Amino acid sequence: MLTRRIIACLDVRAGRVVKGVQFVDLADAGDPAELAARHAAAGADEIVLLDITATHENRGTLLDTVRRTAQRLFVPFTVGGGIRTDDEAAAVFDAGADKVSTNSAALARPELIGEIGATFGAQAVIVAIDARRTSGAPVEQAEVFVAGGRKPTGRHAVEWAREAEARGAGEILLTSMDSDGTRAGFDCELTAAVSQAVQIPVIASGGAGNAHHFTQVFREGCADAALAAGIFHFGIANVRTLKEQLSRDGIPVRFPC
Amino acid sequence: MRATVIDYKAGNLTSVVKALRHLGAEVTVTESPADVTAAERIVLPGVGHFSATQFLGQHGLQSEISIQIVRGVPFLGICVGMQWLFAGSTEAPCCPGLAAFPETCDRFTPGKKIPHVGWNSLDLRPGFRLFAGIPDGAFAYFTHSYRAPAINATAAVTEYGELFSAAIERENVMGVQFHPEKSGETGLRVLRNFLEWQPC
């Protein structure tokens, strides 16, 4: 049976893992390579490394960090942040990434999705969407933000997800900016709206605080995978105990041999 | 242990090469038929579109791989590399495969999310060397929209709304639909079984 994936995310700035609340207030959480290996050993199904400051500081992804992190990792490894061209994507793949996540650059020039896919396959292209909802407005009007949540785009998340799929995205990584870092739970309504609008897998992100939140986003949010960062780094939950709880809740998950 | 990994421009080889080296293999990455002639073991990775396999025919690799397979050289196809062992795929009807197996690969039937992405369990058939030491029900990482049918040579089946071949094995010809280089300890064990397998 296909399992629901638990993805550990490493938000990286200047080669160190950091974690913020609603995209600001960053605290140091350790070395990316070491944390990635620890999460994989505990049963994380994938590792995502996001260079969270790459776009607005206008510099390339930290290839050296990618190379070091990929070295001992034998689960899927995604890298995002500052990937603007298929050449930059190629450098990240060459350093050991299996997939790239593109956000601001894909919105600025949507052809990029197909260009990376043409060389590396659609499965290697994740389109990341950071969305914020205005209170009271219907979920379809959740707005897409870029540049690490700094810039509104006027685009709607559900509609952009559909376009990204049509342009050849392999997966959608959907972050609720309202929930991010709050540990109050995923935005299940927004996740369900996007998941039902596309055929490709949707990864829910933002707001994980306990195991129940994951069960909720798999059941009510129709998420194919769920991503969390902060709760794993500071020892609040590790992936193994999280999966044991999900399994008790009847959610199919993978346990490593 | 030496392994020759064929680069036919179908995606990224870094992870496959890294996993083989991690297991102690001396890896040659090549697109030259002469290197295939000298190969001790051949690995054909691949993600993406079936049409990429055209490169193999155009560059003299297909005929050389055929010759080495008949000579008994161990061969492992991964993902599209496994599908290429079949007669072809409806993904690219104009590109024939190697036809080591006469069946054709086809797209998953609709009614579920396609591609099939993530960790799914392996229903192991007994007696295949690829899965020595691996428990039935172990998980592997998949990412694909087309699949090969279950046949006599199927070593493991997986269910995704329908049953398909997760792995095939007949004498020295082996293939896995999943990505062993991305399937944790289970995947490393599959690769080790391939690297350590000695033809009779």
Side-chain angles (χ1 to χ4, degrees):
Chain A
M1 182 187 257
L2 181 65
T3 57
R4 305 295 185 116
R5 287 173 282 157
I6 302 296
I7 301 176
C9 179
L10 310 173
D11 290 331
V12 170
R13 186 174 65 172
R16 296 287 290 177
V17 177
V18 294
K19 181 59 199 169
V21 176
Q22 287 170 328
F23 286 52
V24 289
D25 260 354
L26 303 171
D28 188 74
D31 175 61
E34 191 189 307
L35 280 167
R38 200 192 299 166
H39 290 320
D45 296 311
E46 294 192 38
I47 303 292
V48 172
L49 187 153
L50 293 179
D51 186 3
I52 55 170
T53 50
T55 297
H56 90 282
E57 287 175 4
N58 197 31
R59 63 177 157 74
T61 308
L62 305 173
L63 292 178
D64 184 53
T65 305
V66 173
R67 205 168 284 119
R68 233 162 31 83
T69 306
Q71 201 53 45
R72 289 175 304 147
L73 212 51
F74 298 103
V75 298
F77 179 39
T78 300
V79 174
I83 296 164
R84 288 165 301 235
T85 65
D86 52 351
D87 282 348
E88 286 174 348
V92 169
F93 286 121
D94 190 53
D98 301 297
K99 315 181 195 182
V100 296
S101 164
T102 166
N103 187 334
S104 309
L107 262 158
R109 204 174 63 80
E111 296 78 15
L112 178 64
I113 300 168
E115 287 165 9
I116 301 173
T119 313
F120 296 98
Q123 87 296 328
V125 190
I126 296 181
V127 171
I129 300 177
D130 296 335
R132 170 167 285 166
R133 292 168 71 176
T134 315
S135 55
V139 67
E140 290 73 23
Q141 287 175 19
E143 189 182 359
V144 180
F145 280 66
V146 292
R150 288 169 187 83
K151 239 172 78 183
T153 63
R155 296 287 302 264
H156 292 152
V158 173
E159 176 264 318
W160 168 229
R162 275 205 197 94
E163 180 182 339
E165 176 184 34
R167 288 183 178 275
E171 296 179 69
I172 300 287
L173 166 54
L174 176 69
T175 300
S176 160
M177 293 174 60
D178 307 293
S179 307
D180 188 63
T182 63
R183 296 187 190 159
F186 294 94
D187 187 338
C188 292
E189 202 191 346
L190 176 65
T191 308
V194 173
S195 186
Q196 284 158 4
V198 295
Q199 271 282 309
I200 51 179
V202 172
I203 304 161
S205 156
N210 59 43
H212 179 63
H213 294 149
F214 287 85
T215 299
Q216 262 182 333
V217 82
F218 288 135
R219 286 223 180 105
E220 297 159 30
C222 310
D224 300 282
L227 173 147
I231 63 162
F232 299 137
H233 302 323
F234 297 108
I236 292 171
N238 72 38
V239 181
R240 194 180 309 275
T241 52
L242 169 63
K243 283 188 165 180
E244 282 163 2
Q245 183 59 50
L246 290 176
S247 188
R248 282 194 290 273
D249 288 348
I251 305 287
V253 288
R254 152 197 171 252
F255 290 100
C257 298
Chain B
M1 295 186 291
R2 290 201 294 132
T4 300
V5 175
I6 296 173
D7 182 5
Y8 59 109
K9 315 301 168 198
N12 181 28
L13 302 182
T14 313
S15 291
V16 173
V17 170
K18 186 182 70 178
L20 292 167
R21 288 193 175 135
H22 174 80
L23 293 167
E26 197 182 308
V27 180
T28 306
V29 178
T30 187
E31 51 188 270
S32 136
D35 287 332
V36 175
T37 312
E40 234 170 66
R41 281 163 215 279
I42 302 168
V43 179
L44 186 73
V47 289
H49 205 273
F50 192 86
S51 60
T53 60
Q54 277 186 106
F55 185 97
L56 299 169
Q58 290 160 352
H59 292 75
L61 290 159
Q62 178 148 350
S63 55
E64 195 51 43
I65 291 169
S66 277
I67 293 167
Q68 297 312 313
I69 284 178
V70 171
R71 282 186 54 226
V73 173
F75 175 96
L76 178 67
I78 297 172
C79 197
V80 174
M82 164 180 146
Q83 294 182 5
W84 178 72
L85 289 168
F86 287 79
S89 169
T90 54
E91 186 174 23
C94 304
C95 307
L98 190 70
F101 304 99
E103 293 81 2
T104 300
C105 300
D106 202 356
R107 193 171 165 87
F108 277 114
T109 52
K112 55 199 174 236
K113 287 206 170 183
I114 299 172
H116 171 225
V117 178
W119 295 79
N120 204 329
S121 50
L122 303 170
D123 186 355
L124 303 183
R125 291 183 174 173
F128 288 93
R129 291 159 299 186
L130 265 182
F131 295 104
I134 295 172
D136 190 28
F139 288 98
Y141 184 80
F142 293 82
T143 174
H144 61 125
S145 300
Y146 287 75
R147 84 286 182 275
I151 58 172
N152 282 339
T154 296
V157 289
T158 289
E159 187 269 343
Y160 185 57
E162 59 198 277
L163 293 175
F164 66 91
S165 275
I168 50 170
E169 175 182 324
R170 191 182 65 200
E171 296 165 359
N172 55 320
V173 181
M174 305 176 198
V176 287
Q177 178 61 63
F178 57 89
H179 287 273
E181 75 280 11
K182 292 284 111 191
S183 295
E185 290 301 320
T186 298
L188 291 175
R189 182 63 197 254
V190 168
L191 290 175
R192 185 188 297 279
N193 287 344
F194 170 72
L195 288 171
E196 292 179 347
W197 179 70
Q198 293 299 331
C200 303

